[in-house]
Amino acid sequence: MSPEPYDRDLTLPPPRLSVGAAGWVRANLFGTWYDGVLTLVCAAALALALWFGLVWVFRDADWGVVATLGGNFAIGQYNTEAACPGKNCFWRPQVVLLLVTMFLGMSWGLTKSGIARTVAILVASAAAAFAFLPYSMEKMGMDVRVLLLANAPALGAGWAIARHTSMSVRWFIILGVAAFLLSLGLLRGLPGMQPVPTIYWGGLMLNLLLAVGGIAASLPIGVALALGRRSRLPVVKVMCVTFIEVFRGVPLITLLFMSQVLVPLAFPEDFPLNSVARAGIIITLFSAAYMAENVRGGLQALDPGQMEAARALGLAAWQTTLLISLPQALRNVIPAIAGQFIGLFKDTSLVYIIGMLDVVEIGRAFILGNPEYLENARELFVFLALVFWIFTYGMSYVSRRIEYHLGVGKR
Amino acid sequence: MAQLPRTLTYQGIPVWRHLLVIQWTTQIVSAIVVVALVVWFFANIGGAIQDRDIPYGFSFLSREYQTPIGDHLIPYESSDTFLYALFVATTNTVVVAVAGVILATLLGIVIGVARLSGNWLVSKLALVYVEFFRNVPLLVQLLFWFYLMLTLPTVRDGHVVAGRIYVNNSGISIPWLSGSGGALTWLALAGAAVVIGVVVHRLLVRREVETGRASYPLMAGFAAAFVVGAVSWLAIGAGGEAPFVISLPGPEGRFGRIAGGFTIRAGLLVLLIGLVMYTAAFIAEIVRAGIQSVVRGQVEASRALGLSPLEALRHVVFPQALRVIIPPTISQYLNLTKNSSLGGAVGYAELTNVGITMTQTAPAVSIFILIMLVYLATSLTWSLIGNLYNRYVGFSWG
């Protein structure tokens, strides 16, 4: 029998200043004298910044410029008279948006994971909420509003399809690619419809199209390049290294500009490679070169015992790569891959260099064309920064959740 | 006579499954495909150039450029050649890259350390900074700063801060040193003074190590450098004017243009602010990850040995963290250099901007080949620095 370590009746409560809110403040804000000074200085700076920031946002700033541009931010000049003469083409991007929410609903129904649900519901409700923007009915008609509201049932439909049919992930991916191509066709104009030249594609729609296409294509290309770079075949290796280093070594806008100059020369004049496709290809290849380096990092970090064990079990080289090394390598570099995707999305703002009106360039062109709004440029770019931030922060949030679900760093 | 049935004799791997055959076929086929594509691509370009009578080649380089370049560190006239104009533009890119790298590193370290501060408020502020500036496209940030700068008062009714700092929409002018005739001589002597200081420091350190007597190497080194520098300053000053005098900016002439002092033009200023704040957010994350990669026991052990928190950071944590920090940081330096190509959006005459302007009067393909080569050379330089560092680290600490 061990002796009682202390007399319970004599134990004193902890000092009041070291527990609870007071204790937290003392430990985290006023630990030492310089911590205290730092806290006070930062708090004062923060208070000042918040005060002036809020006064500006709610009193001094004139957000009229954002309202004036309105739908242009979303689809650029897509629905102007020049792009779609005599007809109203607004519904095409909206149908594409419906497809997107439907697919988000499907991924929710398919994975049943909390993060797919969160993203799907957020996107669909945000889209539906736009139906209630306080524009006049002339500027934003009932048809537009109804199609926006339809995002909510589209989400439900996608979810139901995935839940009540035995849809596999493979089918989901095939359907996704098909829907992406269908969206491109719809925007361009399917046979029998009024074609809309790609030069009029713009706004956030353009950024998202380029980003989605680029993300989907740059990962496989990047993986192939990474494998090629690690290949023992000297010819393959040299070609991959050259490609990666050249594309990583020059700024994206010089590549975009070069494509603008070279492609019309290199291909026959009627070659169907419009500016959107050109920008998409260049952005994809640029991103793939970076992706290759990320994947290579993941491959190099793998324990060689994994590959040796796989070979010892009798797996062929391609099986070892596809089933053993790549899954582990990719899982380990999820943060880097997500960072690259975010970078790709941010880079879509550079297409201004080849004369495309993406969401940033729409704003800039508006300021250039309407100098009376010069004073409002800061409202405009604060708004654009917020728009991009919502998307990029959402992407990094999703990547962190995926990483958590796959148990990276836990084994 | 037992004879082995023919079917059991080993005939070797069939040719098409032989590893060497597969490997060589893959290589040859892929090489042929790539070479064919490249040849087809350039043959088309060559054909198009001939058919459509498009100018090509590099003979334009010796022609006069005949266009002003807004910012130039080295003298430039419109009558200079294309080649020289490209060189001027390259120096502009180098200016922004070097200044940007230094400032972004300093800011990035401060924010990265602040992220790990025990002070809740400081670490959260740093987090907000990183999450915001990292996630917004550089172009949007640049344009925000650019239009903020544009809405400042013009030079004519520009305003003055703290008596002698002129702020207007074409730049900021601050008091600066202006060199006189003896400036170069003094700079050379000052360089010699630094060398003397270092030598004195080395000698005294050796003496201290060998004899054990306190020799104050640091103080003596600084003193030696200071004395040499001061004496040469006075010697040059005695002959007439001091090597450097303070030059104050001030309005001049009918249009109130600011003369004197040191003026950072708006384009450069905006580009620097944008690049530094953007890149610092990335560097801060690298610094944080690097410091966190050092095992906690290291800090605890050094604290147990009696080092102060700052000493532990300086002598134990940082040297180990640097090995993790440096390689990705160098790739951020490379990114900063490449991102300076956005200077065109804010009116700074860096390489890409000048190149795009040049395409109006010279063959675009040739110009952009040259520009891409310059960027490639820059990125190879950065990789070289990175590799040298890795080797150095491998030898000294590995």
Side-chain angles (χ1 to χ4, degrees), chain A residues 81-375:
Chain A
E81 188 57 31
C84 198
K87 292 217 175 65
N88 215 350
C89 292
F90 71 91
W91 59 272
R92 296 192 203 167
Q94 288 200 297
V95 169
V96 172
L97 180 62
L98 288 177
L99 276 176
V100 170
T101 41
M102 202 170 96
F103 266 86
L104 288 175
M106 275 191 207
S107 70
W108 168 22
L110 202 63
T111 60
K112 305 180 191 72
S113 80
I115 132 178
R117 186 184 61 203
T118 315
V119 172
I121 292 182
L122 272 179
V123 171
S125 43
F130 279 118
F132 300 103
L133 284 180
Y135 282 116
S136 65
M137 278 295 163
E138 284 145 42
K139 193 146 191 239
M140 188 175 175
M142 208 44 172
D143 39 7
V144 178
R145 290 173 198 262
V146 167
L147 275 174
L148 279 172
L149 273 178
N151 278 291
L155 174 76
W159 182 82
I161 292 173
R163 278 315 269 284
H164 297 293
T165 58
S166 51
M167 186 192 246
S168 62
V169 174
R170 181 174 303 176
W171 269 104
F172 177 74
I173 293 173
I174 294 172
L175 278 179
V177 173
F180 184 70
L181 296 177
L182 177 71
S183 305
L184 289 181
L186 190 64
L187 290 175
R188 184 76 182 80
L190 293 170
M193 284 160 59
Q194 171 78 47
V196 178
T198 51
I199 193 72
Y200 295 111
W201 297 18
L204 196 58
M205 176 181 81
L206 178 67
N207 294 78
L208 290 173
L209 274 178
L210 289 173
V212 170
I215 283 173
S218 70
L219 187 59
I221 300 178
V223 168
L225 284 170
L227 292 175
R229 187 167 188 168
R230 277 172 59 83
S231 159
R232 274 169 304 165
L233 313 178
V235 176
V236 175
K237 186 173 176 171
V238 165
M239 289 191 303
C240 288
V241 170
T242 313
F243 178 88
I244 292 173
E245 293 304 331
V246 168
F247 271 74
R248 269 163 40 97
V250 298
L252 179 55
I253 65 169
T254 59
L255 287 171
L256 283 170
F257 193 85
M258 200 70 166
S259 81
Q260 168 98 331
V261 178
L262 273 189
V263 167
L265 295 182
F267 297 101
E269 276 179 58
D270 53 346
F271 196 80
L273 201 58
N274 55 57
S275 42
V276 170
R278 240 171 17 220
I281 291 171
I282 293 290
I283 290 177
T284 305
L285 293 181
F286 181 78
S287 193
Y290 280 85
M291 195 64 76
E293 289 300 274
N294 292 337
V295 175
R296 186 170 71 111
L299 287 171
Q300 272 174 347
L302 276 190
D303 183 355
Q306 294 282 332
M307 272 77 86
E308 284 160 16
R311 295 306 294 271
L313 285 171
L315 296 187
W318 66 270
Q319 286 170 319
T320 314
T321 306
L322 280 187
L323 303 176
I324 307 293
S325 33
L326 267 185
Q328 299 186 60
L330 289 181
R331 199 192 65 160
N332 287 338
V333 290
I334 288 176
I337 293 179
Q340 189 51 48
F341 286 166
I342 292 175
L344 189 151
F345 180 59
K346 288 188 295 178
D347 281 346
T348 57
S349 62
L350 300 185
V351 292
Y352 79 92
I353 204 78
I354 55 172
M356 309 224 57
L357 290 169
D358 79 307
V359 66
V360 181
E361 188 62 9
I362 284 276
R364 195 168 78 126
F366 180 76
I367 299 286
L368 285 177
N370 304 276
E372 69 269 23
Y373 280 101
L374 193 65
E375 292 279 331

Side-chain angles (χ1 to χ4, degrees), chain B residues 93-180:
Chain B
T93 292
V94 171
V95 164
V96 109
V98 170
V101 158
I102 294 171
L103 295 173
T105 309
L106 294 178
L107 187 61
I109 291 177
V110 169
I111 291 167
V113 172
R115 274 282 264 127
L116 292 173
S117 162
N119 189 318
W120 181 85
L121 188 64
V122 171
S123 91
K124 284 293 173 276
L125 282 179
L127 176 71
V128 169
Y129 176 93
V130 169
E131 289 295 349
F132 184 77
F133 283 95
R134 205 171 52 150
N135 280 328
V136 172
L138 178 60
L139 181 65
V140 176
Q141 300 187 26
L142 283 174
L143 289 174
F144 174 80
W145 298 119
F146 176 69
Y147 282 104
L148 201 63
M149 191 92 198
L150 259 193
T151 47
L152 285 178
T154 56
V155 182
R156 228 170 166 173
D157 39 38
H159 62 222
V160 186
V161 186
R164 276 298 178 182
I165 299 175
Y166 287 79
V167 179
N168 52 58
N169 68 2
S170 66
I172 289 181
S173 306
I174 53 171
W176 198 249
L177 300 172
S178 114
S180 63

Side-chain angles (χ1 to χ4, degrees), chain A residues 28 35 39 233-235 248-249 251 253 257-258 264-266 290 346 349-350 364 377-378 381 388-389 392, chain B residues 23 27 41 44-45 48 52 54 118-120 131 134-135 137 139 143 147 151 278 338 341-342 365 368 372 375:
Chain A
N28 290 301
D35 253 353
T39 303
L233 313 178
V235 176
R248 269 163 40 97
I253 65 169
F257 193 85
M258 200 70 166
L265 295 182
Y290 280 85
K346 288 188 295 178
S349 62
L350 300 185
R364 195 168 78 126
R378 60 189 95 158
F381 289 110
F388 273 96
W389 186 83
T392 49
Chain B
Q23 288 186 347
Q27 299 209 63
F41 192 75
N44 272 347
I45 292 174
R52 302 181 215 166
I54 296 166
N119 189 318
W120 181 85
E131 289 295 349
R134 205 171 52 150
N135 280 328
L139 181 65
L143 289 174
Y147 282 104
T151 47
Y278 183 74
K338 289 193 295 171
S341 62
L342 288 178
V365 178
F368 269 78
M372 284 179 163
Y375 281 113

Side-chain angles (χ1 to χ4, degrees), chain B residues 55-76:
Chain B
Y56 66 98
F58 292 94
S59 56
F60 71 94
L61 283 175
S62 51
R63 247 169 41 208
E64 285 183 9
Y65 179 37
Q66 291 182 336
T67 312
I69 295 180
D71 312 74
H72 47 86
L73 191 67
I74 50 178
Y76 170 79

